[in-house]
Amino acid sequence: MFKQHPKVWSAVREYGIITVATLIMVIGIYVFKFPNNFSFGGVSGMAVLLAKLTSISAGNWTFLLNMALLVLGFLFLGKSFGIKTVYVSVLMSVALSGMEKILPMSHPLTTQPVLELIFAIFLPALSAAILFDIGASGGGTDILAMILKKYTSFNIGSALFVVDLLITVAACFIFDPTTGLFSFTGLMAKSLVIDSVIENINLCKYFTIVCDEPDPICDFIHDALNRSATIFKGEGTYTHQQKFIILTVMKRSQAVQLRNFLKKNDPGAFMMITNSSEIIGKGFRGFN
């Protein structure tokens, strides 16, 4: 039914991805971050510190802080405040509060803090990368970044890093140096994981194929892979024979099919395969 209405299907698919990504973040925060008191920045990091200092749980503090930031967003950003950010903030806040009732955790899941730190870093970072890749935001301190970007000339990245660093340093005093050092490790690793995940999500293969008969290869690219290509005429410097150069870009799974096709049907072709982390254009990502 949805496929008869492309815009509706696109919206359903997009919000489905956002929902799954947000729930991945919730699991990483609630199961691995909260019980270990890891405080490497963001609203969830603040919530961990405030939960230690008050009788309110980290999940409820996350809800309160996110709602307060949403109000600030509506006051200062108005219509430019993205509906996706609102959806993610509300879903994450409600899910974290709900998890406290459905699956109460009075202690860490395992006795291996390093293992739990890995999951506390990787799951939220994976979620943040997926959200960023489709133009959504995780809410929280991202809302402060939007406000600062609109009304000031601050370096937003540096400002948010300083806030995250202060939260991490505070963990050393509110909890203990071990928790603080674990949190500092998480802060350093988080951005690296996000960058790595985004790069792998967008990874494509760029083919440069030098051959004598381009038509069978191009037919396979068009018909079997539903991609396009560009052809140049060239000349071999040793034999001075005319050659054809095919340029094409595709996803990794399609790249395997094309490589196997060339190996079987044109073993004499010269093939160069290059990784590309971002392709902009029709069939891939638009400029907007």
Side-chain angles (χ1 to χ4, degrees):
M1 180 180 70
F2 287 126
K3 291 186 177 181
Q4 295 176 354
H5 306 279
K7 290 185 178 180
V8 175
W9 170 246
S10 177
V12 170
R13 179 179 175 276
E14 186 174 57
Y15 275 88
I17 294 172
I18 292 173
T19 300
V20 171
T22 304
L23 294 178
I24 290 172
M25 182 180 291
V26 167
I27 293 171
I29 291 172
Y30 182 77
V31 177
F32 299 105
K33 191 172 183 180
F34 283 173
N36 292 281
N37 298 318
F38 296 145
S39 309
F40 41 88
V43 165
S44 59
M46 292 183 208
V48 170
L49 299 180
L50 292 170
K52 178 67 175 178
L53 299 173
T54 66
S55 59
I56 302 175
S57 69
N60 288 334
W61 267 120
T62 302
F63 182 88
L64 293 171
L65 291 170
N66 271 332
M67 294 306 103
L69 288 169
L70 283 177
V71 171
L72 287 176
F74 280 116
L75 288 175
F76 287 98
L77 300 173
K79 292 182 179 179
S80 64
F81 192 52
I83 187 64
K84 294 176 186 175
T85 300
V86 176
Y87 178 73
V88 172
S89 295
V90 172
L91 177 60
M92 183 176 70
S93 301
V94 171
L96 284 172
S97 296
M99 288 286 280
E100 291 183 339
K101 297 178 175 60
I102 298 169
L103 185 67
M105 296 187 67
S106 57
H107 56 79
L109 187 65
T110 72
T111 58
Q112 302 295 323
V114 174
L115 179 64
E116 301 220 1
L117 178 64
I118 291 171
F119 280 91
I121 295 168
F122 179 75
L123 291 179
L126 172 64
S127 171
I130 294 171
L131 292 172
F132 178 81
D133 187 61
I134 60 176
S137 164
T141 50
D142 289 346
I143 298 172
L144 290 178
M146 295 177 196
I147 296 172
L148 287 171
K149 183 177 180 180
K150 183 174 182 179
Y151 291 100
T152 72
S153 58
F154 288 168
N155 184 319
I156 308 302
S158 298
L160 289 179
F161 178 78
V162 169
V163 172
D164 288 345
L165 184 61
L166 290 174
I167 293 170
T168 304
V169 170
C172 296
F173 298 97
I174 294 176
F175 296 105
D176 54 69
T178 301
T179 302
L181 289 173
F182 271 124
S183 298
F184 186 77
T185 302
L187 178 62
M188 294 296 100
K190 182 175 68 172
S191 60
L192 296 176
V193 174
I194 291 174
D195 290 343
S196 177
V197 172
I198 289 173
E199 184 171 338
N200 278 280
I201 288 173
N202 293 322
L203 189 65
C204 295
K205 299 289 186 178
Y206 172 73
F207 279 79
T208 304
I209 304 166
V210 181
C211 62
D212 296 319
E213 296 290 338
D215 290 342
I217 300 172
C218 291
D219 289 342
F220 180 79
I221 293 171
H222 297 157
D223 300 333
L225 303 180
N226 197 29
R227 292 293 179 189
S228 187
T230 301
I231 297 179
F232 295 95
K233 288 183 179 180
E235 181 181 302
T237 59
Y238 185 73
T239 63
H240 297 287
Q241 292 181 348
Q242 180 174 279
K243 296 287 184 178
F244 292 91
I245 303 166
I246 303 172
L247 304 181
T248 185
V249 180
M250 57 195 59
K251 298 295 184 181
R252 282 179 288 185
S253 59
Q254 297 172 318
V256 173
Q257 296 178 58
L258 179 57
R259 186 181 63 189
N260 292 340
F261 175 84
L262 288 168
K263 184 178 180 180
K264 181 179 179 181
N265 295 278
D266 194 350
F270 185 78
M271 174 174 44
M272 292 172 285
I273 307 174
T274 307
N275 287 335
S276 179
S277 60
E278 187 170 14
I279 301 294
I280 298 174
K282 186 176 181 180
F284 291 90
R285 181 190 297 272
F287 283 100
N288 295 323

